[in-house]
Amino acid sequence: MTQALDEIKIGGLGASRKRVEDDRFIRGRGNYTDDITLPGMLHMEILRSPLAHARIRSIDASKAWEIPGVHLVLTGDMMATRNLAWMPTLSYDTQAVLATDKVRFQGQEVACVIADDPYIAKDACEAIEIDYEPLPVIVNPTQAQADGAPVIRDDKENQPDNVIFDWEVGDRAGTDAAFEQADVVSKLKLHYPRSHPSPIECCGSIADFNRATSKLTVYMTTQAPHIIRAAVALVAELPEHMIRIVSPDIGGGFGNKVPVYPGYVCSILASILLERPVKWIEDKTGNLISTGFARDVYLHGEMALRKDGKILGVRMHTESDHGAFFSDAQPSKFKIGLMHSAFAAYDIPAAHLTARGTYSNKAPGGVAYRCSFRVTEAMFFQERMMQAAASDLGMDQADFRRMNFVHDDDFPHRTPFGFLTDSGQYAKCLDVGLRAVGYEDFRRKQAEARKKGRLLGLGISTMTEPLGAGNSREYDILGIKMFDSAELKIHMTGKAILRTGAKTQGQGHETTWAQIVAHELGLPAEDVVVEEGDTDTAPFGMGTYASRSTPVAGAAVAMVSRKIRAKARKLAAHLLEVSEEDVEWELGRFYVRSAPDRGVTIQECAMAAYSNMPDGMEPGLENTAYYDPPNLTWPFAVYIVTVEVDPATGVWDVLNMVAVDDCGVRINPMIVEGQIMGGLTEAYAMANMQFITFDAEGNCIGANYMDYLLPSAWETPGFEMHSEVVTPCPHHPIGAKGIGECAAVGGPAAFVNAVIDALDGTGVRNIDMPLLPDRVWEAVTQRRDVSGAPPVRTD
Ligand code: CDP
């Protein structure tokens, strides 16, 4: 008779276990960077450039030095004497730490003041006098490539213009041949605007250099502590073992906290110079105006179609605006991230992508905001193109997608750009979504409504996203291979501590990783404490972004648990006085195959590891696993939205939104739903209300929460989520695929497609996001596409 534990009761795989981290968060007992106060701590503020492009004639900081309470004023020239005026970026470019020669975007860091408190530091920043000579400004790729355009990066040798890269991937000749055979060629041009991850907690750091021990400890808001440790070692030329990076609780990251920011570098240098802890906490405007933007890509596409609806080939061209420094955090061999993951869900014989990146007078862009390295732009383009193609063919939107899907038995499937997708049931997800939204019925209602002048629309978007970089063969950042790790220590009483190389920022790792241990070892999840983010204790890992944690660190948790189980089996054989081959496992317990009642629990094995191990066995029950995934995981989703557009005002309301997500095995269904709900909310915000852009002078418009709205429960529509399609990942140890970003990646196109569908018959093919009422109204009344590309007029 089995005595296996009930997995759901012990909080294992599939349990909707409440988030353990919320106990401290809802009591206000989280420990964020700004909560940390160290003895003797000073405060740093940054002076930012008011101009987007200007030569610096002079900087006079003498008045700032005179203000009582000021300890240090850092300028670019002082940084230069320590070879720290510039730093390398994660994309093999350089970035100014503090400007020396020119300022290249509004909000660029020009000087820092370190003082007794932040108010003195801020006042002292205002006392610094800078003489600027304004220069012409560039805010889009067309301006960047125009004849006679000013060269933004004149600091670089061999940089005669503003082009950063020209890159291509795919089969050019095969794609050309496909277009020659096409009955119909569908075209689309759009701009995915700059957007900002805008975590509630801004960036910040507290550097604490101890001269007596030579140890530098930095508490900071980073999603990737080990990468920061390596960067500090290389940039500041400090020994790596004397650097400790601690990433405490993080109030949202969304990609914003992956890059290395000048504020981190300056606080570290200030602490070394002053031998006191130095805290820098960025304010909201600083965060919105100067830290890691996302997107800002112009997409041009063409689709070659047979008249029965079969897609023969796709051409894509992107022009991406990276701002003043090329600092995208992405695998080094892909210049435009994983943009070429587009069309992975569709069976398309040939595709070709050309990509050009340019500098502009904007803050560095290109962070993967809740996205696996540009997958959001790829999926947005894909699903907007699918909608345009279906309507050019006069085909039903759902039928067109279904007929071109990769079939369930075609996996692993090689995509037109060369990725290998793992598994999926695409048509089933679509059917679940169509049923849930009442597709046929809605189309009938839509036709009726149109006769009365009411504009109803339905938008479909599908998404498949490559999640879980590495494998290390193909994926690296700055040459550091992408894999991840977990270390598990079982104490003698059967309680455990687990550490991983990932870093949660609200995703709930403290809850879900313990569930994987419970699944593998039968230890109740509540007996496993999870710790991440301290480089002195956590095993090396690449951190958390691009929804890579479950595919990589989560897999490492399963693998290290299996290593522990293998040793526990030897201990069990010893305790049961049988050979190891005669020992069987069921959840939480080893037993003798021929006498199932004779058994020992995993907790008894743990005690034996410290008190009664066999001769010659190393004591203790702990291990580490480094996991290098064989492939990415490929979750799939279908999002369907229905809307009503008011032609008189351009306001559009969501009537219904259905989400069908297949992320393989769900570790914690409640957390997965939370991730989807959050992603859909961000997708809705991007499509509807988040307006941040630039005028002709390079002023950042919308760097406040009046223009760049974060939707509250009031604005956010309801979402209907479906979880009935589960296609386990064939190569992940527990069959899980990533989920964190899927809805933010696939959601925006569903909203935009719905509004464009509502305008069917007006000739409008595109309105750039955000679909603000004035843009929709202009499209409806003028019967033309509306671009949102900068510069915008502000009069
Ligand atoms: O890397 P990140 O944590 O942002 O994304 P993720 O790996 O997709 O995981 C987000 C959260 O959802 C984590 O708490 C995961 O453990 C959980 N999750 C899950 O319960 N089941 C899955 N199949 C995928 C993620």
Side-chain angles (χ1 to χ4, degrees), residues 432-447:
V432 170
L434 294 175
R435 236 186 345 265
V437 84
Y439 188 64
E440 303 297 339
D441 197 35
F442 183 85
R443 288 293 187 208
R444 263 193 304 277
K445 276 191 203 141
Q446 184 182 28

Side-chain angles (χ1 to χ4, degrees), residues 467 504-505 507-509 512-513 515-516 543-551 663-669 671-672 675 735-741:
L467 294 181
T504 189
Q505 312 122 44
Q507 297 93 327
H509 294 178
T512 50
W513 293 168
Q515 293 185 245
I516 299 176
T544 290
Y545 39 86
S547 294
R548 62 186 298 279
S549 304
T550 301
C663 61
V665 172
R666 296 183 177 201
I667 303 164
N668 183 321
I671 286 187
V672 168
Q675 295 288 306
K737 305 182 181 187
I739 186 65
E741 304 157 352

Side-chain angles (χ1 to χ4, degrees), residues 85-87 94-100 104 108-109 153 262 325:
W86 292 83
M87 63 181 181
T94 48
Q95 175 172 356
V97 178
L98 294 180
T100 45
R104 292 175 170 83
Q108 186 177 339
E109 300 80 357
R153 295 300 305 277
F325 310 106

Side-chain angles (χ1 to χ4, degrees), residues 265-429:
V265 181
C266 293
S267 65
I268 290 171
L269 179 66
S271 179
I272 292 172
L273 294 175
L274 297 167
E275 298 185 21
R276 286 175 68 173
V278 174
K279 180 189 263 191
W280 165 62
I281 299 293
E282 187 182 56
D283 61 23
K284 258 300 163 219
T285 306
N287 180 263
L288 276 167
I289 208 168
S290 68
T291 60
F293 279 86
R295 333 286 191 229
D296 213 351
V297 179
Y298 298 76
L299 294 139
H300 299 189
E302 292 182 313
M303 193 173 252
L305 299 151
R306 223 168 47 197
K307 57 176 176 295
D308 64 356
K310 170 76 188 144
I311 304 171
L312 302 174
V314 177
R315 277 195 198 113
M316 285 170 73
H317 176 69
T318 66
E319 303 260 330
S320 48
D321 181 337
H322 297 262
F325 310 106
F326 180 33
S327 66
D328 297 21
Q330 62 192 6
S332 46
K333 69 187 223 190
F334 304 122
K335 291 289 175 224
I336 189 69
L338 302 184
M339 186 75 80
H340 56 305
S341 64
F343 298 101
Y346 299 107
D347 182 18
I348 299 179
H352 187 241
L353 163 72
T354 49
R356 171 169 289 189
T358 51
Y359 289 117
S360 71
N361 293 116
K362 299 176 181 171
V367 304
Y369 165 23
R370 206 166 185 173
C371 150
S372 194
F373 318 115
R374 305 271 187 192
V375 170
T376 308
E377 294 96 306
M379 286 305 113
F380 184 72
F381 175 73
Q382 168 190 302
E383 289 305 310
R384 294 284 298 109
M385 185 79 245
M386 290 299 286
Q387 158 133 345
S391 83
D392 287 346
L393 287 167
M395 267 185 86
D396 175 82
Q397 291 290 335
D399 291 346
F400 177 58
R401 284 172 171 82
R402 192 185 290 103
M403 89 168 272
N404 285 289
F405 273 152
V406 174
H407 297 140
D408 302 0
D409 48 7
D410 284 346
F411 292 100
H413 170 75
R414 183 70 66 186
T415 78
F417 288 112
F419 290 94
L420 201 62
T421 54
D422 57 359
S423 61
Q425 301 176 69
Y426 301 162
K428 186 172 174 190
C429 288

Side-chain angles (χ1 to χ4, degrees), residues 35 221 269 332 429 535 600:
D35 291 325
T221 51
L269 179 66
S332 46
C429 288
T535 57
V600 285

Side-chain angles (χ1 to χ4, degrees), residues 591-614:
Y591 60 89
V592 179
R593 185 176 305 122
S594 56
D597 286 346
R598 281 189 60 217
V600 285
T601 63
I602 186 76
Q603 288 85 354
E604 286 167 324
C605 295
M607 181 56 83
Y610 297 88
S611 60
N612 180 15
M613 54 281 186

